[in-house]
Amino acid sequence: MNFSEIFKQSNQLCRISPDGRYLATCVQYRLVVRDVNSLQILHLYTCLDQIVHMEWSSDSLFILCAMYKRGLVQVWSLEQPDWHCKIDEGSIGLVSSRWSPDGRHILNTTEFHLRVTVWSLCTKAVSYIKYPKACQKGIDFSRDGSYMALAERRDCKDYVSVFVCEDWHLLRHFETETQDLAGLEWSPNGCVLAVWDSCLEYKVLLYSLDGRLLSSFSAYEWSLGIKSLAWSPSSQFLAIGSFDEKVRILNHITWKKITEFEHPATIYPALAGLGLMCVSTGPLTLYQTHNEISQPPFQIPVVKPDLDRANPKVGVSSLAFSADGRYLATKNDNMASVVWVWNMQKMSLEAVLEQTAAVRCFQWDPRRPRLALCTGTPRLYLWSPAGSVSVQVPSEGGFQVHALSWHSNGDSLVLIGKEHLCLCYMDTEDKSTDSNIWTK
């Protein structure tokens, strides 16, 4: 592995363009665009205030910079550096801003979620969508960019509106069977919309594109319910993480539970199976049953949550499928220093990655089954079916990795610290087999 020099950044606003050619970073009120290979500065833009949100358009030709306190959005062009656009929401305020899939419309959500304003960069036309709901994930676009689903709240009831993104006309509008809708998400193939209730009621609803209720799933009652949700890349599985420290897997044919993954404090041989590896760091050690280095049981460190306080640190808060759908990585909040890797073909536990500090971020390589994670220390951790590796990030100031993001080709990573960033370049000479998923 090789590492670049360290650059400044603010608010962890560092994004590689969708086409993989550029790296955009924000430093206070400045936007810096670099060539991702040479890291030479190509463009430098100055905004009217400190940037709190930054986002690339889907075609990598424009960058959106939002300043929520001022109600401002500025848009910059890479093709025409002298061109710029300013959107001022005025006294109505601004709480979020994002691109539409076509990269030519901007969706602004006003304060108190009074409305969503759709601004066109091409025609300068403005459209308004009323009654957006303030919830965890109230807007989602289908993967092909054709449709937008919007959660709404009217007359103390939850609704979903489906819009056609080409001209923003309303395709479907239907009431949902939720008490307090918390989020919605399209399946990757765009055929099913998952809608889930607040944590006070365990309920997941699956709707078709025309608003028909395909199925409803509830695992239990009278206890805190859903904490996270993720679709598999093939849309065949829906993983639901819950406050009861379990992940339930639904299949796409019957929408029934086919298995559930628990996160016990002690892992016994029956749960581990023959392929389990338990990786702990500090220094890195590897216990691998098929190498007969160590045998289960393994003891997992657990922090007892304070259940009397709001948002207790318990339950499965993070779920991520590998790009090929073979693996699912999970994190249970009262076992904050551990990432669990599950084999989706065998429906069994594949690996337990134990760190010396709480895991802050983990993300799969977009091309290969390789997982990167960080813990706020000067180290980068990688796991693949071939094994695990821990790498010190070389820097004089003790650079600590708080977040990370893969390049779309999987050949490099952006490592993000509190006020700095650097790039990590992977040596990937042979990408054809698992044994060459990474080299050090």
Side-chain angles (χ1 to χ4, degrees), residues 237 249 258-261 270-277 288-290 321 324-328 341-351 383 385 434:
F237 301 116
I249 307 296
I258 56 174
T259 192
E260 64 182 30
F261 299 143
L271 174 64
L274 295 177
L276 176 78
M277 58 179 71
Q288 205 162 349
T289 57
H290 53 256
F321 281 95
D324 58 6
R326 287 169 57 189
Y327 301 101
L328 172 67
V341 181
W342 308 87
N343 188 313
M344 294 303 296
Q345 294 175 329
K346 300 177 181 178
M347 291 293 173
S348 64
L349 184 60
E350 179 81 10
W383 175 88
D434 282 348

Side-chain angles (χ1 to χ4, degrees), residues 66-73 87-90 92-95 108:
M67 294 138 276
Y68 293 149
K69 288 184 178 179
R70 301 246 328 237
L72 289 176
V73 174
I87 299 172
D88 189 346
E89 291 288 354
I92 200 168
L94 182 65
V95 295
N108 286 344

Side-chain angles (χ1 to χ4, degrees), residues 181-235:
L181 190 155
L184 46 78
E185 185 171 332
W186 290 103
S187 60
N189 61 13
C191 295
V192 180
L193 181 69
V195 176
W196 60 97
D197 221 319
S198 76
C199 63
L200 298 178
E201 181 158 348
Y202 196 119
K203 183 183 285 188
V204 177
L205 303 161
L206 289 311
Y207 291 95
S208 64
L209 182 60
D210 60 6
R212 288 180 297 114
L213 179 62
L214 301 174
S215 186
S216 175
F217 176 76
S218 178
Y220 53 81
E221 294 180 314
W222 316 118
S223 186
L224 292 177
I226 298 167
K227 195 165 189 179
S228 57
L229 183 144
W231 287 97
S232 69
S234 65
S235 303

Side-chain angles (χ1 to χ4, degrees), residues 213-366:
L213 179 62
L214 301 174
S215 186
S216 175
F217 176 76
S218 178
Y220 53 81
E221 294 180 314
W222 316 118
S223 186
L224 292 177
I226 298 167
K227 195 165 189 179
S228 57
L229 183 144
W231 287 97
S232 69
S234 65
S235 303
Q236 290 179 299
F237 301 116
L238 180 63
I240 307 168
S242 311
F243 279 88
D244 68 347
E245 304 177 44
K246 296 179 182 179
V247 176
R248 293 166 176 83
I249 307 296
L250 308 187
N251 75 83
H252 73 296
I253 299 175
T254 64
W255 299 115
K256 304 296 184 185
K257 183 187 75 173
I258 56 174
T259 192
E260 64 182 30
F261 299 143
E262 300 185 19
H263 298 76
T266 304
I267 302 175
Y268 295 99
L271 174 64
L274 295 177
L276 176 78
M277 58 179 71
C278 180
V279 182
S280 61
T281 59
L284 183 74
T285 55
L286 176 64
Y287 310 98
Q288 205 162 349
T289 57
H290 53 256
N291 284 344
E292 298 181 352
I293 297 174
S294 179
Q295 293 287 339
F298 305 124
Q299 194 67 33
I300 303 298
V302 179
V303 177
K304 188 175 180 179
D306 185 354
L307 298 178
D308 294 329
R309 304 186 68 176
N311 302 313
K313 291 196 175 296
V314 62
V316 181
S317 64
S318 301
L319 299 166
F321 281 95
S322 60
D324 58 6
R326 287 169 57 189
Y327 301 101
L328 172 67
T330 65
K331 179 188 169 188
N332 186 25
D333 278 354
N334 50 317
M335 302 171 177
S337 62
V338 178
V339 173
W340 306 65
V341 181
W342 308 87
N343 188 313
M344 294 303 296
Q345 294 175 329
K346 300 177 181 178
M347 291 293 173
S348 64
L349 184 60
E350 179 81 10
V352 179
L353 313 177
E354 179 189 344
Q355 316 301 319
T356 55
V359 176
R360 290 175 177 255
C361 177
F362 62 85
Q363 193 176 104
W364 288 100
D365 181 330

Side-chain angles (χ1 to χ4, degrees), residues 58 83 124 188 212 281 356 396 399:
S58 56
W83 178 95
K124 299 182 182 179
R212 288 180 297 114
T281 59
T356 55
E396 296 180 357
F399 179 84

Side-chain angles (χ1 to χ4, degrees), residues 168-182:
W168 303 103
H169 80 263
L170 181 65
L171 180 68
R172 287 288 182 273
H173 175 74
F174 54 91
E175 184 179 348
T176 62
E177 298 179 13
T178 51
Q179 296 295 321
D180 184 11
L181 190 155

